[in-house]
Structure formats: structure tokens, C-alpha cells
Amino acid sequence: MRPSFRLDSFDRLAAASRGGDRDAMSRLHAAIRPMAIRRCPAELDPAVADSVADGACSSVLHMLADRPAAGESFLHLLNTMTSGMITRTVAASCGRRAPLPAGLEVLCARERDVLILRLILGLGAEDTATSLGRTPGEVLLDQHRALRTLRGVLADRGTVPL
């Protein structure tokens, strides 16, 4: 389930939105909302996931007007804002996260982020790298390590490995 927008489309729409183009702002919101709606339930309690996703989208769009384009990718800005809102929501709710699928609790945050962006949001290695401020090679290596770890955890638990 790959997003219908390409990386450069997000950046072009963000630039047009900064310039006051309301149609571009609307199209950008329509493009990012499904991404936030898929990500938040993967990491948060379902009771708050939709409102956090909507809040992340609104915050990112409002931030565009106040923040000059400094060469930062729009996907990186979106990922940073969404991650921050998820972290603040978890902290405010005394650590209530959505139950992680089997084995994910053993992964480091970086590997878990890569799997969420690649498998839940359907981003390619380049878009994931841009979102995380990393290189595609680092993303693929983190993905490999995460999947290897999950295979080991599932094998230890007697579950069918991935």
C-alpha cells in the first residue's frame, strides 16, 4: 500500500502552501492525513490515535507558514512532528501505547521506526530515509537487522518465523 504521492510532490505542495496557495494546502492535507491515520494507531491507544493524527497534520500545515524552507524535506518535518506528538501523548497518558505486535518490543526505536514507515505506511527506502534523516543504505540495514531480530524472537517463542 504505497502512498500515491512521490517525495518531490510533497515538497512542491509544501512550497506552494508556504506561498499561500490554498488548493496546494488542501491537497497536501489530503495526502498526509492517511499517512498519519495509519501510523498513529500502530503506536498509540486507539482512543486517542485519530485525534493525535489530526493534530499532527494540523501542526505541520500551520508550521509551514511560520517556517522558511531551509532545505528540510517535508516528509522529514511530518515524521518529526508526528513522532513528537506520539511521544508527548504517551508521556501524558502514563505510557499507554498500543500493544505492539509480537517481538516489536525488543527492537530499538530506530529499527521500529523503519519498520513502521516501511511496512505500515508503505514508504520506499528513499522516502523512509528522507523521513528519518538517514541514508537509504542505513534504512535497509536497520530493516534487515529488525527483521533478523524478529525472526529470532519468534523462533525462540515457538512461533512461525517471518
Side-chain angles (χ1 to χ4, degrees):
M1 175 184 266
R2 188 151 166 93
S4 59
F5 279 78
R6 293 190 33 82
L7 177 64
D8 57 344
S9 298
F10 285 112
D11 290 336
R12 279 197 310 270
L13 285 173
S17 296
R18 274 190 187 93
D21 184 337
R22 290 193 178 276
D23 180 53
M25 180 78 73
S26 176
R27 290 177 48 215
L28 188 58
H29 183 265
I32 65 172
R33 189 169 188 280
M35 294 172 73
I37 291 292
R38 284 193 304 267
R39 179 174 181 174
C40 288
E43 298 187 64
L44 293 172
D45 186 302
V48 297
D50 282 351
S51 63
V52 171
D54 286 335
C57 291
S58 295
S59 295
V60 167
L61 294 175
H62 286 136
M63 200 178 230
L64 283 178
D66 300 335
R67 189 175 179 155
E72 180 180 40
S73 160
F74 180 76
L75 277 181
H76 187 260
L77 177 63
L78 175 63
N79 184 62
T80 302
M81 179 63 69
T82 304
S83 294
M85 291 194 80
I86 288 169
T87 300
R88 286 189 298 279
T89 301
V90 168
S93 65
C94 300
R96 284 189 311 234
R97 278 192 181 265
L100 293 172
L104 280 171
E105 72 278 357
V106 301
L107 298 177
C108 68
R110 185 183 66 244
E111 291 172 352
R112 193 169 42 246
D113 285 345
V114 166
L115 289 185
I116 288 169
L117 294 174
R118 296 275 289 142
L119 303 177
I120 294 174
L121 295 183
L123 295 180
E126 275 190 42
D127 292 350
T128 299
T130 300
S131 296
L132 297 174
R134 303 183 53 115
T135 67
E138 290 171 324
V139 165
L140 293 173
L141 183 59
D142 286 338
Q143 179 179 336
H144 170 74
R145 287 178 178 154
L147 292 175
R148 185 182 63 210
T149 300
L150 288 176
R151 282 185 195 102
V153 167
L154 294 174
D156 289 347
R157 293 180 182 174
T159 309
V160 178
L162 299 173

